[in-house]
Amino acid sequence: MDEMLVAGVPPEGVRVGGLAVAAQRAADLLRAQKGTIAVLDATTGGLIQAMLQAVPRSSRFFLGGMTIYSRQAALQLPRELREKLGTPQENYASPPAYWVSKQVFTDELSSYISSQFSSTWSVAESGAVDPAGLPEQLRGAGAFTSVTVRGPGVHVSRLYRVEGCTREEAMVRFAIAALALLAEALESKPLGKL
């Protein structure tokens, strides 16, 4: 796995229009490579999936996805997969432990979602958009998300943090970041080299 990076998400484009532009860019690259994609949203609440599906003729590349936002939803994952994700005691011990747990989550789930849909590419995203809603010991983690993209010969993960924005703005910024990372990964694969 690539080194996890901490990066800010730029405030420009924090609106549905910015999301649409990011989704269109990723869609164009997927089409050019004749690739397909499956998505796992968590913190973004399905925005990544929705924006890819909003691209005309998306059924040619977007195979589907899952939104796992609650503990109840995570319990629907296979037991062997859940066991790889760590225990609450480990994952919630500190802000750095929480970040790592989300990196493990997106790494494992990017592989899982790709296998479930037999896609050539996958994106998995998970984090926290409202630090005030976290248990007290985790509030220092701030608003963040981990994004993992997998494709033929590509496996990249990044950790993104934002400050001073609303819950909704954080969700949109994180969806834009995930779509931008997908586009970056797709651009790293020469045409015809799937």
Side-chain angles (χ1 to χ4, degrees):
M1 179 168 36
D2 285 351
E3 179 180 322
M4 301 293 173
L5 303 175
V6 177
V9 179
E12 62 271 8
V14 180
R15 59 187 188 289
V16 174
L19 260 174
V21 169
Q24 185 67 58
R25 180 173 168 232
D28 290 346
L29 291 162
L30 280 163
R31 284 185 182 131
Q33 293 186 13
K34 296 181 178 30
T36 58
I37 189 157
V39 177
L40 183 122
D41 284 275
T43 309
T44 53
L47 285 173
I48 301 166
Q49 294 173 68
M51 294 314 296
L52 285 171
Q53 189 173 346
V55 173
R57 295 172 298 288
S58 62
S59 62
R60 295 180 183 166
F61 63 87
F62 177 60
L63 301 181
M66 300 171 68
T67 301
I68 297 183
Y69 187 71
S70 68
R71 178 169 162 67
Q72 193 79 3
L75 289 174
Q76 304 310 306
L77 295 170
R79 171 181 235 116
E80 60 274 4
L81 178 59
R82 290 193 323 262
E83 289 172 354
K84 294 178 182 178
L85 302 179
T87 67
Q89 294 82 7
E90 296 166 336
N91 296 342
Y92 305 145
S94 67
Y98 193 45
W99 292 330
V100 169
S101 76
K102 294 302 184 176
Q103 293 166 337
V104 170
F105 182 87
T106 60
D107 189 56
E108 292 293 337
L109 273 289
S110 65
S111 179
Y112 174 76
I113 195 76
S114 183
S115 69
Q116 292 302 296
F117 286 90
S118 299
S119 64
T120 53
W121 291 87
S122 64
V123 175
E125 171 280 326
S126 185
V129 293
D130 184 7
L134 292 172
E136 191 170 336
Q137 78 273 15
L138 297 180
R139 291 184 188 151
F144 77 97
T145 197
S146 173
V147 178
T148 299
V149 174
R150 286 181 187 266
V154 177
H155 179 191
V156 61
S157 296
R158 292 212 181 123
L159 184 69
Y160 296 94
R161 296 184 67 201
V162 295
E163 295 179 357
C165 57
T166 67
R167 180 182 183 89
E168 294 82 8
E169 289 169 338
M171 291 172 72
V172 171
R173 287 182 187 191
F174 293 153
I176 290 170
L179 289 163
L181 185 60
L182 171 61
E184 180 184 316
L186 284 158
E187 287 173 338
S188 75
K189 292 299 292 181
L191 290 177
K193 297 286 185 178
L194 289 178

